[in-house]
Amino acid sequence: MRNRTGTARAIAEVDDGLAGRVAVVTGAAQGIGAAVASALAERGAVVAALDRAVDVLDKTVGLLTDAGHRAVAFPTDVRDSSDVNRTVAAVEHELGPVDVLVNVAGVLRVGAVVDLTDEDWAAAFEVNSGGVFYMSRAVARGMSQRGRGAIVTVASNAAFVPRQRMAAYAASKAAARAFTRTLGLELAGRGVRCNVVSPGSTDTPMLHGLWTDEAGEQSTLDGDLAAYRAGIPLRKLATPADIADAVVFLASDRSGHITMQDITVDGGAALGA
């Protein structure tokens, strides 16, 4: 959760069209997903928060409802197309037609290609690209019929900048990126916009899991010449709120003429690639 004390009035004065809209967020229990759910709720959206980590999801939704926002937890496994279809039907029955989908759910499997197992590869694709496909397909059917909607997929700068030991993650995120932009082309004539946000190193449990010692953050900022990895020119990690701000913009009416685009939020780590 992020604290926007002192900015609530400014946010309320911005008419971005999100108030009252139904927004589905996957991976909403923690990290970027929780920040996106919070940011959308703060702007008046009715948030359907999806995750398979039920206990953590309930706590996150509880914080939103305690703050006076409208949010409902929908435990869901995005790897299961039947579960996804049931959840989308339940959301539309309980909350109304889905106006916004944000695909955030993701997993990270690291290792050199020669050491990756079949299970590692499958796990990355089941969530990072399969989940995006299942969720997007389920909501796009209704959106295209209604002639409106916005889909935002959170990918990664690893999708277009090679990283050692991240082949499964990078390939699955690249697939999700390409899929979302292609979907945007197919749905553009029906009034549905599809865009991508590609974060770099973000201060989340997933990033912390890559660090092996207390020097992890500094190493991320500095980069690693031996591994052909650039550092972060802005000299700071992204926060989940930084990513959420880009997502909210693409989900809102303020980006009403933007589709099939990818906004990179990585402090310059990809050097503008």
Side-chain angles (χ1 to χ4, degrees), residues 32 102-103 151-161 173 176-178 180-181 193-202 238-252 254-273:
I32 293 172
V102 186
N103 293 302
I151 296 173
V152 183
T153 294
V154 176
S156 169
N157 65 357
F160 47 85
V161 177
K173 287 293 189 177
R177 179 177 185 258
T180 302
R181 296 174 73 185
R193 299 181 301 104
C194 303
N195 291 289
V196 178
V197 172
S198 292
S201 298
T202 305
T239 66
D242 290 327
I243 314 306
D245 284 339
V247 168
V248 168
F249 169 69
L250 290 173
S252 76
R254 299 177 71 189
S255 63
H257 203 57
I258 299 175
T259 194
M260 294 179 278
Q261 300 301 307
D262 183 349
I263 295 179
T264 303
V265 187
D266 68 354
L271 304 179

Side-chain angles (χ1 to χ4, degrees), residues 3 24 32 36 48 52 76-77 81 85 121 135 164 175 181 199 208 228 259 266:
N3 185 350
V24 174
I32 293 172
V36 169
R52 58 179 173 153
T76 306
D77 186 344
S81 63
N85 291 337
W121 186 262
M135 288 299 311
Q164 290 185 356
R181 296 174 73 185
H208 294 179
Y228 308 100
T259 194
D266 68 354

Side-chain angles (χ1 to χ4, degrees), residues 26 50 76-81 83-84 105 126-127 130-131 134-135:
T26 72
L50 279 56
T76 306
D77 186 344
V78 298
R79 302 172 299 177
D80 184 337
S81 63
D83 196 19
V84 165
E126 283 175 344
V127 177
Y134 295 145
M135 288 299 311

Side-chain angles (χ1 to χ4, degrees), residues 6 21 33-34 41 60 63 65 85 89 125 137 140 153 167 170 175 188 198 216 219 236 245 247 253 266-268 272:
R21 291 188 180 173
T60 298
L63 290 173
T65 56
N85 291 337
F125 274 84
R137 180 180 62 179
T153 294
S198 292
S219 177
K236 62 187 180 71
D245 284 339
V247 168
D253 288 349
D266 68 354

